Amino acid sequence: MPGIVGWGCHMPRYRIKVEEIAKVWGADAQAYKKGLNVQEKSVPAPDTDTITLSVTAARRAVARAGVDPAQIGACYVGSESHPYAVKPSGTTVAEALGATPECRCADLEFACKAGTEAMTVALGLVDAGYVKYALGIGADTSQGAPGDALEYTASAGAAAFVMGADKLVAECEHTYSYMTDTADFWRREHQYYPQHAGRFTGEPAYFKHVLGCARGIMAKAGLKAGDFAYCVFHQPNGKFPAAVAKDLGFKPEQWEQGLLSPLLGNTYSGSSPMGLTALLDVAKPGDRILHVSYGSGAGSDGFVFRCTDRIREVQDLAPKTRELLEGERFYLEYGEYAKFRGKIIMNVKGA
Amino acid sequence: MPSAGYTREIPQRYRLEAAKCASCGRIYYPPRLVCAACGGREFDTVKLPDTGKVVTYTVIRVGPGDFAEEVPYALGIVEMEGGVRLMAQLVDVPLDGIKTGMPVRLEFRKIYEEGKAGIICYGHKAVPA
Amino acid sequence: MRDVAVIGVGANPKWGELWGRSLRDIFVEAALAAIDDAGVDHVDGMYVGCMSSGLFTGQEHIGSLLADYLGQRHLPATRVESACASGSAAVKAAFLEVASGHGDIVLAGGVEKMTDVSGAAATYALGTAADAEYECYHGATFPGLYAMIARAHMDRYGTTPEMLAQVAVKNHDNGALNPMAQYPFKLTVDQVLKSVMVADPLHILDCSPITDGAAAAILCPLETAKKLSKKLPIKVAGVGHATDTIQLAQREDMTWLESTAKAAERAFKMAGVKIKDVDLCEVHDCFTIAELVVIESLGLVKRGEGGKATLAGRTARDGDIPVNTSGGLKAKGHPVGATGVAQVMEVVKQLRGEAGSRQIKGAKRGLTQNMGGSGGSAVVHILEVA
């Protein structure tokens, strides 16, 4: 049975508060904070992109996995903010780790679920016996359109998983996927910011697919909410994942540890994977975890993980997600944030 | 920078690969062909540790072309554990909070972009350890 | 090896932003001034110190170009490069040609035309004297590299920003008396410290400028100097040259300039003198901190005491160890390839008694120290009244 051998997470240290954004666009900060259950979000500095976040997260995953990077036979990065339109993020990540040249690679895109798709592919290659270890990474430095509701949450972060069939910290007991063609959120080529369909992104999009996937995998596995120690769902804000958890019969102590979005924002392809790392940081041997992602377009990937005895040995081998989330951070004003995110029109460089 | 030159430097820039003289053990980053200490011509590849301390630093307030918009930024010489020194930007730290001797860790970051259409150049910067 | 003398020196009339003068113009003006000063009617060979005519003006092959423009077609001529030490490296090359007997009258010139390109392009060109892959790649600038040296020096020896500023003040005091200087005006310590910070702790007024300029010297065998020229022959008594790592991170000691120390050692050995026998020094104050470290590395003052000595006025014109009576790079300007030759010009004028209001009375022996990059190369010449 394949599973997770090591996990790692990374996020920038910069933040911007909801109030700071609302101030510029004349919006009601308290209404946004209450409505979204988000206070602040992470902001990548100009030197931080999907590749750099992935490299640090992957290095931490390898540290916990305790494997020789040369034995990693595949590197998949799922994101909707790959630095290049053509040239994969995965090649740089694989080089930085020392996994090249015997390493399969291609980038993945499926809005916020590209990361879990990368995890699925990594598990699949291991299970099929194609590779000994494989990296599945979800990372993003997503852009929020100025003044749009999504600007309050579009943030940056990465989670990386070394998948393998031995030295497991968590077995992957079941996988599942639930996908339809649903145009709730998209970005056309050459457009700088994405578009979304407002309230249509709720019930017919997020909830339909997350609940469809969660119910599907729980039925397939013959499990109920009470059989799990933890659950983690895609976190576009602090409200939606709590709502689906309640709907499925989970209690707050099962989903609170993995809910990062109130302080982190929505890290898109990193979202539920980073939540998963926060759970793995504290899980005990035998704990079962339900992980369901969501990507607009639309679909959800589901996993049932069961932690092994080995997990305790490696939790302290790399920084923990909540330490990164709640540790030293630097708050930006909107002007610095706009500069960092390249939202300011600059002059073309002359001779 | 031109792709050929960039690709050639990847082992040094991405993985901190250095050359250790097979005769006298002195380590060179970046690698070279002749040992300046003993004249030796055989080297083994080693990786530098990613932790060290700041030896000296400055805050650049007038930056060269590709870095002009990033000012002010801190640049310093870091001595990695084991003694090898290299130059790196110092980030994730308030500029007035940098001190000679402070412990740092190297983290993979984007160094610059060749404009809007060229390649993206990566390397390491130092963050507080 | 024959003894060698300098019998002529010259420069183009004014150093600065010379929008209307090309590289060819200013070099020929300087060369003719030196030729006329010597009173010779031809030269046998020429070396042109220039850091990068290619990057600054798109022109290489300037040995040939300038020989032709000087009206000396078919002259053996070549460019010499050692970053900011190119000028003194050209003087060394000319010295060797004469000393070896290969040529009798050899012109050592230096030129840099830096204002035809944008500030960003000039910064890039200057940056090629540093390590392109491991320093410039990370956003290093020259002020930044010297600022790191300054920080290390301040940490170890307690050197202060006021000591650095005093170097600029002193050099401007001298430069104000130099008709060819780019900035012939005085400065105060307060002005320096209040000027915009370029790379902590160096302010803009701690830094030498971007300059167009040229200088030249005529060298010949000492034994025929009096026959060739009416000017008092000045003997090239010592020539010392040394290199060091380009990368600052690979230096053994960042508060010391080993290339300068070794170059000086070699020059003193050849000349058979010590630093205390030298009456004045022209040193490479590309940044104020550079002058402090150089005077320590030359042995003019004890290690760590460069700042104290400067504050005490020892390196002023009326001090016991005058440094940079020309105004230095700071006030005179720093057209990179020309600087080393202009340093020789100042010492020659001082030794001849031609330095006007900058004159050091009774000067018999002078030293020039010219260095490249952050100390990757250094050339020291010791000149004395024959």
Side-chain angles (χ1 to χ4, degrees):
Chain A
M1 183 185 301
I4 301 171
V5 183
W7 72 96
C9 166
H10 193 42
M11 65 184 77
R13 284 198 194 174
Y14 294 96
R15 302 283 185 276
I16 186 168
K17 290 190 156 85
V18 165
E19 288 90 337
E20 187 59 30
I21 301 173
K23 193 169 69 182
V24 170
W25 300 109
D28 184 343
Q30 293 314 312
Y32 267 112
K33 285 171 76 170
K34 225 170 135 223
L36 298 172
N37 187 15
V38 170
Q39 292 169 211
E40 59 193 51
K41 66 172 188 174
S42 66
V43 182
D47 67 2
T48 296
D49 63 17
T50 289
I51 288 177
T52 65
L53 290 170
S54 297
V55 168
T56 298
R59 282 176 172 168
R60 290 171 176 163
V62 170
R64 288 195 171 106
V67 300
D68 176 0
Q71 294 203 298
I72 294 173
C75 179
Y76 292 98
V77 178
S79 177
E80 57 185 274
S81 55
H82 289 290
Y84 289 90
V86 176
K87 186 179 178 301
S89 303
T91 57
T92 304
V93 175
E95 276 281 11
L97 290 177
T100 53
E102 289 179 345
C103 188
R104 296 157 194 274
C105 176
D107 280 356
L108 286 143
E109 186 278 311
F110 195 138
C112 303
K113 93 163 181 80
T116 51
E117 197 64 53
M119 291 165 68
T120 305
V121 171
L123 286 163
L125 283 179
V126 165
D127 205 24
Y130 281 30
V131 301
K132 190 160 160 63
Y133 299 108
L135 264 171
I137 301 172
D140 255 303
T141 55
S142 33
Q143 279 284 12
D148 181 80
L150 294 182
E151 191 182 21
Y152 295 91
T153 52
S155 65
F161 301 89
V162 175
M163 305 301 194
D166 69 320
K167 298 175 60 141
L168 299 186
V169 297
E171 293 171 341
C172 180
E173 294 183 321
H174 301 279
T175 63
Y176 188 82
S177 200
Y178 184 102
M179 179 270 282
T180 66
D181 187 4
T182 302
D184 59 316
F185 167 105
W186 63 93
R187 182 170 68 79
R188 295 284 299 280
E189 178 110 69
H190 307 305
Q191 293 300 304
Y192 199 64
Y193 297 113
Q195 301 289 331
H196 62 86
R199 287 187 56 79
F200 182 72
T201 62
E203 219 243 279
Y206 178 92
F207 289 95
K208 170 178 169 178
H209 297 79
V210 172
L211 289 170
C213 181
R215 292 187 180 123
I217 197 173
M218 286 162 83
K220 179 179 171 211
L223 296 168
K224 300 178 310 299
D227 296 320
F228 292 92
Y230 298 105
C231 62
V232 61
F233 302 97
H234 175 56
Q235 315 174 13
N237 52 54
K239 281 279 173 72
F240 282 14
V244 297
K246 278 208 199 88
D247 202 302
L248 294 166
F250 288 96
K251 297 190 168 38
E253 55 266 29
Q254 289 173 294
W255 47 259
E256 273 168 351
Q257 175 66 20
L259 186 68
L260 310 176
S261 47
L263 292 178
L264 180 60
N266 179 1
T267 57
Y268 286 47
S269 296
S271 181
S272 62
M274 288 171 82
L276 176 63
T277 63
L279 297 175
L280 295 170
D281 285 341
V282 302
K284 295 187 304 299
D287 280 352
R288 221 184 230 112
I289 299 172
L290 173 70
H291 172 193
V292 177
S293 66
Y294 174 71
S296 290
S300 286
D301 296 324
F303 307 87
V304 173
F305 292 108
R306 186 150 203 199
C307 299
T308 68
D309 290 339
R310 184 171 174 266
I311 197 167
R312 281 289 161 142
E313 295 166 28
V314 306
Q315 282 164 336
D316 294 340
L317 295 183
K320 298 198 166 86
T321 303
R322 284 213 171 261
E323 282 166 14
L324 296 171
L325 183 65
E326 294 160 19
E328 190 189 12
R329 39 210 207 277
F330 308 109
Y331 288 92
L332 300 173
E333 294 175 5
Y334 195 87
E336 295 169 295
Y337 155 82
K339 180 181 169 189
F340 273 21
R341 298 304 286 133
K343 295 179 197 258
I344 299 177
I345 302 174
M346 305 294 287
N347 199 359
V348 174
K349 285 190 161 81
Chain B
M1 69 182 305
S3 295
Y6 179 76
T7 305
R8 207 163 44 228
E9 299 293 329
I10 278 176
Q12 289 77 260
R13 294 210 175 105
Y14 286 15
R15 297 192 291 272
L16 302 175
E17 285 183 15
K20 183 170 173 172
C21 176
S23 310
C24 72
R26 187 151 152 174
I27 300 177
Y28 292 93
Y29 177 81
R32 48 175 76 192
L33 298 177
V34 181
C35 177
C38 75
R41 301 189 195 179
E42 303 283 322
F43 293 87
D44 300 310
T45 301
V46 295
K47 277 187 74 171
L48 297 180
D50 67 353
T51 49
K53 61 182 202 288
V54 173
V55 172
T56 184
Y57 67 94
T58 182
V59 176
I60 306 269
R61 297 183 190 269
V62 179
D66 291 311
F67 299 84
E69 286 143 26
E70 294 178 33
V71 299
Y73 56 92
L75 184 70
I77 291 178
V78 177
E79 184 172 300
M80 312 317 302
E81 274 166 35
V84 174
R85 293 176 171 184
L86 49 81
M87 189 163 288
Q89 287 187 27
L90 310 173
V91 293
D92 282 8
V93 59
L95 294 177
D96 55 9
I98 301 171
K99 293 199 168 18
T100 304
M102 67 185 263
V104 292
R105 178 175 60 79
L106 294 183
E107 190 169 288
F108 194 82
R109 293 291 176 104
K110 177 166 62 174
I111 306 296
Y112 67 96
E113 289 175 7
E114 294 262 297
K116 288 283 162 215
I119 64 171
I120 305 173
C121 299
Y122 295 95
H124 286 84
K125 297 188 181 182
V127 300
Chain C
M1 296 257 278
R2 308 189 285 186
D3 282 336
V4 177
V6 178
I7 52 170
V9 289
N12 67 301
K14 184 114 164 92
W15 281 14
E17 289 172 315
L18 308 176
W19 307 113
R21 314 296 293 153
S22 68
L23 183 149
R24 302 168 200 203
D25 292 337
I26 58 182
F27 182 82
V28 169
E29 284 172 346
L32 288 177
I35 285 169
D36 292 347
D37 183 54
V40 297
D41 60 7
H42 76 284
V43 292
D44 300 323
M46 180 167 84
Y47 291 93
V48 180
C50 181
M51 174 172 165
S52 189
S53 51
L55 289 176
F56 287 117
T57 65
Q59 181 70 61
E60 300 285 17
H61 216 180
I62 59 173
S64 305
L65 180 75
L66 297 173
D68 177 24
Y69 270 63
L70 191 51
Q72 307 270 324
R73 219 163 262 196
H74 311 309
L75 184 71
T78 191
R79 176 164 79 91
V80 175
E81 183 274 324
S82 186
C84 325
S86 296
S88 54
V91 171
K92 177 187 172 192
F95 167 86
L96 290 173
E97 182 149 316
V98 174
S100 65
H102 191 77
D104 284 325
I105 309 175
V106 180
L107 190 152
V111 63
E112 210 78 49
K113 173 73 186 163
M114 302 174 75
T115 59
D116 276 356
V117 293
S118 67
T123 302
Y124 169 77
L126 290 170
T128 59
D131 188 311
E133 305 286 9
Y134 289 87
E135 293 184 323
C136 300
Y137 182 80
H138 293 284
T141 57
F142 263 101
L145 295 175
Y146 275 93
M148 286 189 238
I149 293 175
R151 164 97 30 220
H153 201 269
M154 288 160 121
D155 282 348
R156 186 180 298 185
Y157 299 118
T159 299
T160 64
E162 289 75 18
M163 292 172 180
L164 298 180
Q166 185 58 34
V167 172
V169 169
K170 183 247 318 161
N171 289 346
H172 272 260
D173 270 352
N174 295 337
L177 303 174
N178 190 342
M180 68 174 274
Q182 181 171 5
Y183 296 137
F185 53 75
K186 293 195 190 208
L187 278 181
T188 63
V189 166
D190 204 50
Q191 282 175 305
V192 177
L193 295 180
K194 287 203 163 79
S195 67
V196 71
M197 193 72 91
V198 171
D200 297 20
L202 297 180
H203 301 84
I204 185 73
L205 291 178
D206 282 300
C207 308
S208 59
I210 301 277
T211 316
D212 300 329
I218 307 291
L219 281 66
C220 74
L222 181 59
E223 66 201 0
T224 52
K226 290 200 149 69
K227 226 181 0 182
L228 289 169
S229 173
K230 294 193 181 58
K231 289 294 159 85
L232 181 69
I234 302 299
K235 179 179 168 190
V236 181
V239 176
H241 183 188
T243 56
D244 198 348
T245 66
I246 297 289
Q247 269 197 62
L248 200 54
Q250 292 180 347
R251 297 281 164 77
E252 292 293 336
D253 180 344
M254 258 174 300
T255 65
W256 179 255
L257 288 162
E258 183 67 5
S259 56
T260 286
K262 281 214 146 45
E265 204 181 287
R266 291 167 185 170
F268 287 132
K269 183 156 176 233
M270 177 175 157
V273 301
K274 292 190 161 44
I275 188 67
K276 63 174 176 52
D277 303 317
V278 169
D279 298 316
L280 71 141
C281 298
E282 281 285 299
V283 309
H284 198 88
D285 60 319
C286 46
F287 300 90
T288 49
I289 179 64
E291 179 166 318
L292 295 190
V293 183
V294 166
I295 62 178
E296 293 174 15
S297 306
L298 286 175
L300 260 179
V301 298
K302 284 223 262 310
R303 281 199 72 162
E305 301 200 352
K308 216 166 63 175
T310 303
L311 265 189
R314 295 185 60 202
T315 55
R317 268 188 339 272
D318 57 358
D320 61 298
I321 43 170
V323 172
N324 281 340
T325 55
S326 64
L329 280 57
K330 177 68 194 74
K332 182 163 95 277
H334 182 35
V336 181
T339 285
V341 183
Q343 290 174 329
V344 166
M345 177 173 81
E346 175 72 5
V347 170
V348 164
K349 285 192 167 162
Q350 287 279 2
L351 299 185
R352 285 178 184 172
E354 291 175 1
S357 47
R358 304 191 311 282
Q359 185 67 47
I360 303 296
K361 294 208 170 12
K364 290 270 173 296
R365 185 177 292 111
L367 177 151
T368 67
Q369 175 270 350
N370 186 211
M371 67 183 169
S374 64
S377 59
V379 181
V380 169
H381 295 299
I382 296 175
L383 303 158
E384 59 190 31
V385 174

